[in-house]
Amino acid sequence: MLESQKLKNMQNMKCYAYIIAGVVLQTIIILVFALTVMRIKTPSVRLTSVTVQNLKYNTTGSPTFSMNLIAEIAVKNKNFGHFRFDDSTTNVTYGDVIVGDGDIIKGRANARKTKRFNVTIDISSNGVTDSAKLSNELKSGNLTLTGLASLRGKVTLMKVMKKRKTAKMNCKMTVQLETTAVHNLDCE
């Protein structure tokens, strides 16, 4: 009788050991899943290309410039859930002065994908007050502009987890006035 009781106790201990090992293994799997897949990252926004149209500039007298930019914007979503962003605006600045803006319509970047779309921006130097700097830059043949945007939206994972994220864009570019080409497109 004592032998059968010892055998039963050993079997119970093995059973408890298997249950504890299973619980520990499941906890590790859930923890790894939560730290890798469920971690919500901020999507990135970049200018991938810019085309200049209808460029007009004047270096004599009061320096001015005007043009239309067609900017291709890419929203890269690194998450395992989609990123749905609201309507927004992209601004183009010369120095600290906003010289143009364009509308970004709301959209969705799917999970682990990049959404690309075009934005048309009308640029005019009407608000620029530093005419000496502008005149020097126009005479050099290169105009430095900065593109700024902020996309607010939600990342949704498995229709359960939702987290607000704001993707920001800050891109510097140089417009070569003679060829109307954009050089040195650099995004932070």
Side-chain angles (χ1 to χ4, degrees):
M1 182 105 164
L2 192 56
E3 284 295 317
S4 68
Q5 187 66 24
K6 280 186 179 179
L7 187 60
K8 199 170 199 177
N9 284 344
M10 288 296 277
Q11 287 176 340
N12 285 342
M13 292 295 270
K14 277 186 181 180
C15 185
Y16 292 137
Y18 288 138
I19 290 171
I20 290 171
V23 168
V24 168
L25 185 63
Q26 278 186 327
T27 304
I28 290 171
I29 290 171
I30 289 171
L31 188 62
V32 167
F33 184 73
L35 291 176
T36 56
V37 175
M38 301 300 280
R39 192 174 81 211
I40 298 176
K41 303 170 198 118
T42 302
S44 63
V45 182
R46 301 279 183 258
L47 279 176
T48 55
S49 69
V50 178
T51 306
V52 179
Q53 294 179 340
N54 304 324
L55 174 64
K56 296 179 182 83
Y57 65 97
N58 181 17
T59 57
T60 58
S62 177
T64 60
F65 66 86
S66 67
M67 67 186 95
N68 297 336
L69 296 181
I70 299 172
E72 183 183 61
I73 297 177
V75 179
K76 184 176 183 180
N77 184 10
K78 301 169 253 180
N79 296 295
F80 285 95
H82 66 268
F83 174 60
R84 192 179 303 268
F85 53 90
D86 302 327
D87 289 335
S88 185
T89 303
T90 181
N91 294 319
V92 174
T93 62
Y94 174 76
D96 292 332
V97 179
I98 296 175
V99 292
D101 57 21
D103 293 328
I104 298 174
I105 56 171
K106 66 181 178 179
R108 173 180 159 156
N110 290 327
R112 315 273 304 161
K113 302 280 186 208
T114 301
K115 165 115 175 135
R116 297 177 192 280
F117 51 90
N118 289 332
V119 174
T120 303
I121 306 165
D122 296 323
I123 308 286
S124 174
S125 63
N126 290 341
V128 177
T129 56
D130 191 357
S131 59
K133 179 184 172 193
L134 179 60
S135 177
N136 288 338
E137 206 162 330
L138 289 174
K139 286 177 184 173
S140 75
N142 293 313
L143 182 66
T144 303
L145 301 172
T146 304
L148 304 167
S150 180
L151 292 179
R152 294 179 46 96
K154 281 185 191 170
V155 175
T156 305
L157 294 176
M158 296 186 286
K159 297 183 182 179
V160 177
M161 291 182 60
K162 293 181 182 179
K163 188 155 186 182
R164 283 203 147 294
K165 290 290 184 178
T166 302
K168 296 187 183 259
M169 176 185 79
N170 183 355
C171 298
K172 291 190 183 295
M173 65 188 109
T174 303
V175 178
Q176 190 174 22
L177 299 175
E178 240 175 80
T179 62
T180 68
V182 175
H183 297 287
N184 304 329
L185 183 59
D186 183 33
C187 294
E188 297 176 1

